[in-house]
Amino acid sequence: MTLLDGDAFSACFDDFERSAWRFETQPVYTMPDEQESLNRFLAGEARPIGHNDDWHEEVHAWVSAGKSIGRVRTVRQPLTDYQRYQLAWGIPGNVEAGEDIRILDQTRSDLGLPAQDFWLFDDSVVVHLNFAPDGTLDNIEQPDAPDLSKYLAWREIALAHAVPFAEYDPS
């Protein structure tokens, strides 16, 4: 495994040629730059104009260049406050920008999918996002010789059982 710093991880997004896809599994992501927004959401405030615009601009640029970007977000009932925040404030803008986001509710199913968050770039580069139990990012690592067939199979299973964000009913 090779540990990636922020610049090396950013380079994965700069360098992908066709596709970037994420498997997102954590019930909570404790990201310092999201804490204020999460608190505002929990206080019942409306989503501010321009929320997450930097990411939306990146997504739009990739899609306009003919690249695809997507993810499957796994959830279990009851949803955590963070998941409710993502569904209400984060994901809608990402989808509008062109990201294909699908929701996989695993409350009543075990599909043999990992609990590991990962990105798959161009079906050939795997990057793990490793989190502490509280959702804090521990590190980012790139496996030196990943079994790509395993990651591709997990992606296919996740996509086959997930629903497009617009069709997901959390109730």
Side-chain angles (χ1 to χ4, degrees):
M1 295 279 183
T2 302
L3 286 179
L4 302 180
D5 63 14
D7 290 339
F9 182 51
S10 292
C12 294
F13 292 94
D14 295 337
D15 297 342
F16 84 92
E17 296 176 3
R18 295 176 312 283
S19 64
W21 185 82
R22 181 172 177 182
F23 189 59
E24 194 170 52
T25 67
Q26 304 305 305
V28 174
Y29 294 98
T30 306
M31 308 302 286
D33 60 337
E34 287 184 331
Q35 198 57 52
E36 182 182 337
S37 292
L38 176 60
N39 290 340
R40 292 174 70 186
F41 167 77
L42 293 173
E45 294 181 26
R47 180 176 63 180
I49 294 172
H51 178 76
N52 210 19
D53 271 356
D54 291 343
W55 179 251
H56 301 158
E57 290 171 13
E58 297 254 32
V59 168
H60 182 72
W62 293 319
V63 173
S64 294
K67 300 176 183 183
S68 68
I69 183 159
R71 72 182 74 200
V72 167
R73 174 56 164 124
T74 64
V75 297
R76 293 186 190 277
Q77 298 291 338
L79 299 178
T80 65
D81 287 343
Y82 185 85
Q83 289 168 333
R84 292 186 310 101
Y85 161 72
Q86 267 191 318
L87 294 170
W89 280 28
I91 293 175
N94 295 3
V95 170
E96 289 170 17
E99 189 174 354
D100 177 20
I101 301 180
R102 297 165 187 258
I103 308 299
L104 176 58
D105 191 327
Q106 296 190 99
T107 304
R108 293 178 190 86
S109 65
D110 179 7
L111 301 171
L113 295 168
Q116 172 72 57
D117 277 46
F118 65 87
W119 278 96
L120 181 59
F121 296 96
D122 293 330
D123 297 345
S124 61
V125 175
V126 175
V127 175
H128 290 176
L129 304 173
N130 298 316
F131 294 91
D134 71 350
T136 303
L137 182 65
D138 279 338
N139 61 50
I140 302 168
E141 61 185 7
Q142 184 174 351
D144 296 326
D147 179 355
L148 289 173
S149 64
K150 179 172 61 172
Y151 292 91
L152 294 168
W154 286 334
R155 181 181 64 191
E156 293 312 308
I157 292 167
L159 288 170
H161 291 89
V163 298
F165 173 71
E167 297 175 21
Y168 177 66
D169 179 6
S171 57

